[in-house]
Amino acid sequence: MLEMLETVWTWLQSQYLIWTVLKILVIVAPLITAVAFYTYFERKVIGAMQIRVGPNRVGPLGLIQPFADVFKLLLKEIILPTNANRFLFVLAPVIALAPAFAAWAVVPFNDFLVLADVDAGLLYVLALTSLGVYGIIIAGWASNSKYAFLGAMRAAAQAVSYEIAMGFALVGVLILAGTMNLREIVLAQQGGLFDWFWLPLLPLFVIYMISGLAETNRAPFDVAEGESEIVAGFHVEYSGAAFAVFFLAEYANMILISGLTAILFAGGWLSPFQGWPLLGDTILGQESIIWFLAKTVVFMFMFLWYRATFPRYRYDQIMRLGWKVLIPITLVWVLVAAMMVLLGIVVRGS
Amino acid sequence: MIVQELIFYAFSLVMIFAAVSVITVRNPVYAVLFLVLAFFSAAAIWLLLEAEFLAIILIVVYVGAVMVLFLFVVMMLDINLVPFKEGFIRYLPVAVLVALAMAVELLMVLWARGRFGADMFPVPPLSSADYSNTRELGQLLYSNYLLPFEVAGVILLVAIIAAVALTLRTRPGIRTQNPSAQVRTRRDESVRLVKMKSEKPRSV
């Protein structure tokens, strides 16, 4: 029996295509589950912050609620608006979803758990996150609805503006790490909490998180949806499964940005207590995938925290913040980071 | 590698189809979307050439930013393409001639023999997996070609400033917001608390 399993195992590893598809499944299936429970987490956290209980009816502690929501959405009818562009209307959610999943290909979970350990990993992520906006624009245009179109316009301008600040924040990381390989970027942050890049790149770290909020169209930058002004923005005409796919894409993107923040600025799978006197030798000082997941969850929680805390930005304020505040700060800090490497304050790649 | 050839032909076919569609479809929004598809396929082919930096920059810059703005404008303006297409038949012969000339030039490169022939240049060997195209490009740009690179940067900067200077105009008599004044506002500048005694409701 065991021998048979072993032969199956070695055969599987020799079949490159099947093996890769299996690996993709191992990444995507937990991701979709994570999205489902992220919605539950969001409702519970915001409920707690507003002194409410949150969902507590379906299953113990309301834990089955996300599945109830999913089945409700899947069983609902998809309504095509009159004069909507049929093909693009159906294609838009898929275009929004694909980059959100594809970017996970280069995300390293620990030193060896990564689907594609490519050299230009950071560029690849940047390219894919910039594609997500097409889903929103196409949805807005194909819906043949004023509200949807306004939402799409806002999303497009916002995404293009904040991508620049985001890109510059990544340049700072590149300067300190000296590589674009995500795995090597993490390895360049070896040595405890204060050796991670968030400290020397504090302004860029903050700006990356702000741009991440804006790129995923989350509160306080959710003017693309802006339910009090333009009903539900770009997905106002979507219902049922098509809406569910948009929902999935938005939350998958949030998890992706959280994971990337953990990798780029918070040492990925490295332990915060690495090399510390007492704790460094215990199990807490070991590097492990659990650290990566824990950090990602912390950043995911921050997304919800912001949503419960900040009122929505006015549209002109968003543009002013992006162009006149964030981009100049990043430009200055890229120089500062280069000086830090040049003067030996931060040793590159260690 | 048969798989690589299959990928190459698949993306080439998609690219040619998309490029032809850009100029033949009626709807300008479709045309922009087909152009995006063409860029995307070109990036994929560049990836096969091991030029991953160029491929990804093509996506980031053209697909991620420039084409989004294109789409933005095309959707807003509601352009009617019919007037553009009026001279299509009239200009067709010239266009075909130019296209043919370019095709012949390309074929001549492929079929050339002798000094500049394809047979004189060996197929470049596949680089090893740890070869970083990005690193090579960066080292070339910042060492051998530093001056041209910086000059190109300065020219772009001048273009940005010129564009801003050309479109920036201060019109008199319009109300604008002063963000720093807005932020500096204190509560007591806009709210006045009035002390008054509580009143008894009139008996019903």
Side-chain angles (χ1 to χ4, degrees):
Chain A
M1 184 65 196
L2 214 70
E3 249 174 51
M4 215 177 82
L5 272 176
E6 212 161 89
T7 39
V8 169
W9 186 248
T10 41
W11 176 81
L12 260 179
Q13 281 181 314
S14 65
Q15 299 293 310
Y16 185 70
L17 195 67
I18 303 176
W19 188 233
T20 311
V21 169
L22 274 179
K23 280 200 243 179
I24 291 172
L25 277 180
V26 168
I27 293 177
V28 169
L31 187 62
I32 293 177
T33 324
V35 167
F37 281 105
Y38 196 15
T39 60
Y40 169 78
F41 186 45
E42 172 169 39
R43 293 169 71 178
K44 275 288 188 194
V45 165
I46 291 180
M49 287 181 180
Q50 296 167 350
I51 324 181
R52 292 184 286 113
V53 181
N56 66 344
R57 294 285 139 169
V58 194
L61 296 170
L63 272 170
I64 316 287
Q65 183 71 46
F67 299 101
D69 289 343
V70 167
F71 283 116
K72 184 198 81 177
L73 283 174
L74 290 183
L75 295 175
K76 271 184 150 183
E77 183 189 359
I78 298 179
I79 297 164
L80 279 170
T82 35
N83 290 331
N85 188 313
R86 252 164 193 283
F87 179 67
L88 288 182
F89 188 81
V90 179
L91 190 69
V94 183
I95 293 180
L97 184 65
F101 276 174
W104 282 91
V106 295
V107 172
F109 294 91
N110 67 18
D111 208 2
F112 48 91
L113 275 182
V114 49
L115 181 63
D117 188 15
V118 294
D119 254 342
L122 199 57
L123 274 177
Y124 172 81
V125 168
L126 193 64
L128 281 179
T129 44
S130 67
L131 288 183
V133 70
Y134 276 99
I136 294 176
I137 301 180
I138 292 173
W141 184 76
S143 297
N144 192 32
S145 150
K146 286 191 184 67
Y147 292 126
F149 193 59
L150 282 172
M153 288 291 148
R154 289 176 170 197
Q158 182 178 320
V160 170
S161 315
Y162 277 80
E163 217 158 74
I164 302 171
M166 198 178 217
F168 273 121
L170 297 182
V171 170
V173 175
L174 287 187
I175 290 174
L176 289 200
T179 172
M180 286 198 292
N181 185 319
L182 290 176
R183 194 177 58 83
E184 285 169 20
I185 286 176
V186 172
L187 292 179
Q189 305 179 50
Q190 291 277 10
L193 181 61
F194 300 107
D195 288 275
W196 299 345
F197 287 157
W198 67 268
L199 192 59
L201 298 177
L202 193 60
L204 297 186
F205 170 55
V206 174
I207 285 172
Y208 185 80
M209 294 194 68
I210 296 175
S211 318
L213 279 176
E215 288 277 299
T216 47
N217 292 318
R218 288 291 297 183
F221 299 101
D222 56 346
V223 288
E225 293 177 35
E227 60 275 81
S228 58
E229 308 149 26
I230 49 174
V231 196
F234 65 94
H235 59 53
V236 64
E237 304 290 348
Y238 281 85
S239 61
F243 172 75
V245 172
F246 266 125
F247 210 75
L248 190 62
E250 181 179 332
Y251 281 76
N253 266 324
M254 284 158 68
I255 300 176
L256 177 71
I257 296 280
S258 307
L260 284 176
T261 317
I263 287 169
L264 298 173
F265 295 97
W269 61 85
L270 300 176
S271 159
F273 309 117
Q274 193 183 18
W276 281 28
L278 287 162
L279 282 167
D281 300 329
T282 60
I283 197 161
L284 281 175
Q286 300 294 312
E287 55 181 56
S288 98
I289 187 172
I290 297 171
W291 283 118
F292 172 67
L293 297 180
K295 288 166 190 170
T296 308
V297 169
V298 168
F299 290 123
M300 279 159 66
F301 170 74
M302 288 175 123
F303 267 94
L304 312 180
W305 190 9
Y306 301 143
R307 181 176 163 190
T309 311
F310 296 117
R312 184 179 299 132
Y313 261 107
R314 219 169 53 204
Y315 193 70
D316 61 314
Q317 287 174 331
I318 290 183
M319 284 297 144
R320 202 176 60 83
L321 180 72
W323 287 99
K324 291 190 177 174
V325 180
L326 298 188
I327 293 178
I329 293 177
T330 51
L331 280 174
V332 170
W333 209 262
V334 163
L335 284 180
V336 173
M339 290 308 285
M340 278 196 277
V341 173
L342 208 64
L343 299 176
I345 298 170
V346 177
V347 183
R348 165 180 281 177
S350 71
Chain B
M1 275 285 279
I2 183 104
V3 181
Q4 282 194 356
E5 272 182 24
L6 278 179
I7 295 173
F8 171 79
Y9 283 116
F11 277 111
S12 306
L13 281 178
V14 170
M15 189 174 158
I16 291 170
F17 166 72
V20 171
S21 303
V22 170
I23 49 171
T24 49
V25 289
R26 280 160 184 265
N27 192 330
V29 173
Y30 275 1
V32 176
L33 290 177
F34 271 121
L35 193 55
V36 171
L37 185 61
F39 278 142
F40 207 87
S41 324
I45 291 173
W46 279 358
L47 269 184
L48 281 180
L49 276 174
E50 299 179 353
E52 76 266 6
F53 182 75
L54 287 178
I56 294 176
I57 286 300
L58 180 72
I59 304 251
V60 172
V61 175
Y62 282 94
V63 180
V66 175
M67 294 320 286
V68 171
L69 295 180
F70 249 72
L71 207 55
F72 199 95
V73 172
V74 167
M75 283 176 178
M76 291 250 261
L77 291 186
D78 193 21
I79 305 169
N80 189 4
L81 265 197
V82 176
F84 287 122
K85 297 220 162 165
E86 267 172 358
F88 190 72
I89 300 296
R90 197 149 57 90
Y91 296 122
L92 191 63
V94 187
V96 167
L97 218 68
V98 172
L100 269 180
M102 284 174 76
V104 167
E105 276 175 6
L106 287 176
L107 286 176
M108 274 167 68
V109 172
L110 279 181
W111 284 333
R113 289 286 172 269
R115 235 175 119 189
F116 296 110
D119 50 337
M120 297 298 286
F121 300 96
V123 179
L126 278 178
S127 347
S128 60
D130 57 344
Y131 167 82
S132 173
N133 169 267
T134 317
R135 190 177 294 273
E136 299 278 316
L137 260 178
Q139 265 164 1
L140 271 183
L141 273 184
Y142 286 100
S143 54
N144 291 12
Y145 299 100
L146 183 63
L147 189 64
F149 181 67
E150 295 291 335
V151 169
V154 170
I155 291 174
L156 283 175
L157 184 66
V158 169
I160 293 173
I161 294 171
V164 172
L166 282 175
T167 50
L168 186 72
R169 51 191 177 133
T170 40
R171 276 182 296 174
I174 51 167
R175 285 159 173 270
T176 51
Q177 295 176 7
N178 184 352
S180 49
Q182 286 177 342
V183 172
R184 270 202 307 271
T185 313
R186 290 280 156 265
R187 178 171 169 273
D188 36 297
E189 286 170 31
S190 45
V191 180
R192 189 167 55 94
L193 287 183
V194 184
K195 280 271 177 210
M196 61 178 287
K197 276 187 181 150
S198 55
E199 284 180 24
K200 263 191 186 159
R202 257 175 237 148
S203 52
V204 191

